[in-house]
Amino acid sequence: MKEVIKIEGGHELNGEVTISGSKNATVALIPSAILAQGPVTIVGVPTISDVDSLSEILESLNVEVTKVADDHIIIDPTYIKNVTLDSNAVTKLRASYYFMGALLGRFGEVKMKMPGGCYLGPRPIDLHLKGFEALGASIKYEHGLYTIKADELVGNKIYLDISSVGATINIMMAAVYAKGRTIIENAAKEPEIIDVATLLNKMGAKVRGAGTDEITIDGVDKLMGCFHEIIPDRIEAGTFIILACAAAKEMRIKNIIPQHLDSLLFKLKEMGVDMEVDIDSVTIRNGRKLKAVNIKTQPYPGFATDLQQPLTSLLTQCVGKSAIRDTIYPERFKHCIELQRMGADIELGLGRSFINGPTKLYGDVVTATDLRCGASLVVAGLIAEGITEIHEVSHIDRGYEDLDGKLKKLGAKIWREKIDA
Ligand code: EPU
């Protein structure tokens, strides 16, 4: 038996939704907690399966994880043991690679399997490894297992050829205990990086410049436990804003940092969306005809690649021809094939999609090939005529907290069913 999500389209949404803690910050904050020599309390933890997988990895390292409340965990790495990470949990998610930097930083050695995660085309980790090497580590890859070790980690200047989120965070974690100063140039500037640097600094690290393209880390001898609240999830927020534009009469999206969403909000204004931006919320009102736009995904503060997929579904309803170019993951267009099944008029080019609108969408049996593809199918399902049946929902559960519950409260007809595999 497997679970599918079903949506009966055409029901107007209304009301308020509260955004959860950032998934992409959480999946980095949890591994970084093992760098402390005492308990780290994290609040705002979303209930998503990626957190379960990371907790499983922590437990295999003899790190105690206590769930105090739904969104509140205490990670106690006091009795941590540096064992080989080769369980299925490691290959389930991409972010397990943060244990590379964290364990290398704490023990000077890590052995682990290749991380898994959504297939968005090739996702190399060469920049992470080059960073570890620059700090003095040697790297061996044999039979699917990485062995990364260093007699001593020593600060260095590291230039990232691409401003990679993962590599920036991994190098920060590996460098916190390194001797001397590490400088990461062309560092990624995503808000999640600032959140991780904030946690590390609360523990006692000396990380400066996070949020700019040059991050400096001065090594310290000891990091302590601390308390940290995770930033709101800008991609979940963006997804709800997009689905509000597609299917809501009026919707208020709360617990957001609007500045983190500037690139999306500016595009929506260009499309003609009626919105009101407040200090920590956005209200979307519907009724206007929306215009086609051109999107080019770029590292933050550019347009997020994670939002181009849900936005595609909205663009099928806009008047004219929209164009999307994904410069980060040129193969991240599998959702378009699924949307075409539902009636979308989309042409695909190399790293690009062209969406002709408006077109009527019809419910069909579709597959969430990755997390944000799942989000794009939910947006499409809400506006399609008839019932949309989404398969491979585990991808959605990896990154969206209670997506169906939140939508139900807004008036959507969405439910889960077990079907024969
Ligand atoms: N890249 C390399 N070599 C590396 C690392 C990255 O060539 O060693 C390339 C990638 O192939 C890609 C670009 O650099 O073309 C940027 O990749 P980045 O490392 O920034 O991505 P990531 O850290 O693996 C995070 C998010 C993704 C999000 C991307 C881009 C997490 C756990 N994942 O991935 O989120 O799409 O940044 O913003 O933070 C999602 O949430 O659905 C998701 C996939």
Side-chain angles (χ1 to χ4, degrees):
M1 296 289 269
K2 65 176 187 175
E3 199 171 50
V4 297
I5 289 180
K6 290 195 174 181
I7 305 172
E8 185 182 282
H11 298 278
E12 201 171 56
L13 309 184
N14 247 315
E16 294 188 342
V17 63
T18 303
I19 297 307
S20 305
S22 158
K23 169 213 157 223
N24 285 344
T26 304
V27 299
L29 293 166
I30 290 177
S32 28
I34 68 162
L35 287 158
Q37 285 160 38
V40 175
T41 301
I42 308 182
V43 300
V45 181
T47 306
I48 52 175
S49 65
D50 270 7
V51 169
D52 300 333
S53 305
L54 290 170
S55 301
E56 222 178 283
I57 298 175
L58 286 177
E59 276 155 16
S60 73
L61 291 164
N62 203 39
V63 173
E64 205 179 308
V65 186
T66 313
K67 195 164 176 164
V68 183
D70 276 353
D71 72 336
H72 184 163
I73 58 171
I74 301 176
I75 299 170
D76 187 354
T78 305
Y79 302 106
I80 186 168
K81 288 190 188 129
N82 191 12
V83 300
T84 300
L85 296 182
D86 56 4
S87 68
N88 285 341
V90 175
T91 47
K92 260 195 216 155
L93 80 164
R94 178 88 183 150
S96 52
Y97 61 31
Y98 287 131
F99 282 102
M100 283 183 175
L103 287 169
L104 181 65
R106 173 127 191 195
F107 294 103
E109 177 165 1
V110 52
K111 276 192 187 174
M112 73 175 278
K113 263 193 187 169
M114 182 71 188
C118 286
Y119 184 78
L120 310 174
R123 297 180 76 182
I125 57 165
D126 56 309
L127 298 170
H128 306 229
L129 302 177
K130 276 187 202 161
F132 300 149
E133 277 175 331
L135 297 175
S138 67
I139 292 158
K140 213 166 71 186
Y141 184 65
E142 259 176 12
H143 312 300
L145 201 72
Y146 279 101
T147 304
I148 307 170
K149 61 178 172 187
D151 292 334
E152 185 184 38
L153 291 167
V154 181
N156 202 348
K157 206 170 204 179
I158 297 162
Y159 178 85
L160 295 179
D161 298 331
I162 304 172
S163 59
S164 151
V165 175
T168 302
I169 293 178
N170 241 337
I171 296 168
M172 265 173 15
M173 294 198 289
V176 283
Y177 283 124
K179 202 167 136 192
R181 175 168 286 186
T182 300
I183 299 174
I184 310 174
E185 287 186 354
N186 196 29
K189 301 194 280 265
E190 271 69 1
E192 294 74 24
I193 288 160
I194 304 179
D195 211 25
V196 175
T198 304
L199 175 78
L200 294 172
N201 286 340
K202 284 181 185 171
M203 289 176 181
K206 289 196 174 138
V207 182
R208 302 286 174 264
T212 75
D213 56 11
E214 185 175 296
I215 299 180
T216 303
I217 305 120
D218 286 313
V220 295
D221 292 332
K222 192 165 181 192
L223 297 178
M224 320 288 283
C226 66
F227 173 91
H228 185 75
E229 185 170 357
I230 301 170
I231 55 169
D233 194 314
R234 63 192 168 99
I235 307 299
E236 188 201 8
T239 304
F240 272 95
I241 291 170
I242 289 166
L243 68 83
C245 298
K249 184 155 183 252
E250 181 167 330
M251 194 196 289
R252 181 156 171 248
I253 298 99
K254 298 192 303 184
N255 188 37
I256 66 165
I257 300 176
Q259 290 83 344
H260 290 175
L261 288 152
D262 272 349
S263 57
L264 172 69
L265 297 178
F266 277 102
K267 271 294 156 191
L268 294 177
K269 272 189 197 142
E270 191 184 325
M271 287 161 66
V273 170
D274 179 1
M275 69 173 85
E276 198 180 304
V277 181
D278 223 317
I279 295 169
D280 61 355
S281 70
V282 172
T283 304
I284 303 290
R285 289 187 193 90
N286 239 321
R288 294 190 188 164
K289 273 248 169 302
L290 302 183
K291 288 186 298 219
V293 285
N294 295 335
I295 306 276
K296 182 176 165 192
T297 71
Q298 277 175 323
Y300 187 84
F303 194 94
T305 166
D306 299 339
L307 287 175
Q308 65 91 350
Q309 292 170 288
L311 188 73
T312 306
S313 305
L314 176 62
L315 292 176
T316 66
Q317 304 308 300
C318 299
V319 181
K321 183 172 187 163
S322 297
I324 294 181
R325 181 170 161 220
D326 198 321
T327 68
I328 307 207
Y329 295 116
E331 291 183 34
R332 201 174 196 175
F333 288 98
K334 298 224 165 43
H335 59 294
C336 294
I337 316 285
E338 304 301 311
L339 292 175
Q340 281 167 342
R341 297 164 77 97
M342 296 176 71
D345 179 359
I346 304 178
E347 300 151 49
L348 288 172
L350 209 61
R352 291 164 200 266
S353 64
F354 302 92
I355 303 116
N356 297 303
T359 43
K360 194 164 172 50
L361 299 181
Y362 298 91
D364 207 324
V365 177
V366 287
T367 303
T369 54
D370 59 82
L371 168 61
R372 309 301 171 188
C373 167
S376 100
L377 298 177
V378 169
V379 177
L382 292 170
I383 48 179
E385 185 181 309
I387 291 178
T388 300
E389 179 177 310
I390 305 176
H391 288 234
E392 303 293 343
V393 297
S394 60
H395 284 298
I396 296 176
D397 297 336
R398 281 194 33 224
Y400 285 95
E401 176 173 86
D402 191 24
L403 183 60
D404 14 340
K406 288 184 180 182
L407 284 171
K408 257 185 223 159
K409 280 195 197 123
L410 290 162
K413 283 244 158 44
I414 178 168
W415 67 98
R416 289 184 185 229
E417 272 180 25
K418 297 253 192 276
I419 59 161
D420 286 332

